[in-house]
Amino acid sequence: MRNDELSNQSIDFAVSIVNLVKDLKANHESVISNQIGRSGTSIGANICEAQYAHGKADFIAKLQIALKEANETGYWLELLNRTGYLTDAQYKALDSACTSIRVMLISSINTVKQNT
């Protein structure tokens, strides 16, 4: 993976999500853990795919998919917090990381669009 802040944060976040899924499955929670596992790891995968995009439109599309996945992940995090699977401290840490990635994605998308 490239050595940039967005890529680094997305892989770190994916590792946190994988660890969260392990904990959820250990507590016999499988519905939300499957969903958040897919969306939370898809963020970085789409950022990685964007690095080899077929032009600017494809690059923007991959980042927009990553942004949608980050937004979905935020939803699952809130649901896990509201249902007691995440403590407030766990939720705040994961939500903050997810929000940071969303902000960087929005900034990157807007920058590319302005330069097109």
Side-chain angles (χ1 to χ4, degrees):
M1 188 166 268
R2 287 180 15 194
N3 191 20
D4 62 78
E5 192 61 27
L6 181 56
S7 295
N8 289 335
Q9 282 195 29
S10 68
I11 192 89
D12 289 345
F13 184 70
V15 169
S16 296
I17 292 297
V18 168
N19 289 328
L20 172 61
V21 168
K22 286 181 195 176
D23 292 343
L24 290 170
K25 289 193 178 221
N27 288 319
H28 306 291
E29 197 306 307
S30 61
V31 175
I32 300 171
S33 64
N34 290 333
Q35 296 283 43
I36 198 167
R38 281 192 291 275
S39 66
T41 57
S42 179
I43 300 164
N46 280 289
I47 291 167
C48 187
E49 282 186 46
Q51 295 171 16
Y52 293 98
H54 301 287
K56 287 185 181 180
D58 189 35
F59 181 80
I60 291 168
K62 297 292 184 200
L63 292 186
Q64 287 175 326
I65 292 168
L67 180 59
K68 288 171 68 173
E69 294 293 337
N71 191 53
E72 179 183 341
T73 302
Y75 170 82
W76 296 123
L77 289 171
E78 184 174 349
L79 186 58
L80 286 167
N81 179 246
R82 288 185 179 204
T83 55
Y85 284 102
L86 284 178
T87 66
D88 287 343
Q90 290 171 311
Y91 171 70
K92 286 177 185 175
L94 288 168
D95 187 58
S96 176
C98 192
T99 299
S100 176
I101 291 168
R102 282 196 302 255
V103 167
M104 285 190 282
L105 283 166
I106 291 167
S107 178
S108 296
I109 292 165
N110 288 338
T111 298
V112 174
K113 284 182 176 180
Q114 288 172 353
N115 293 335
T116 308

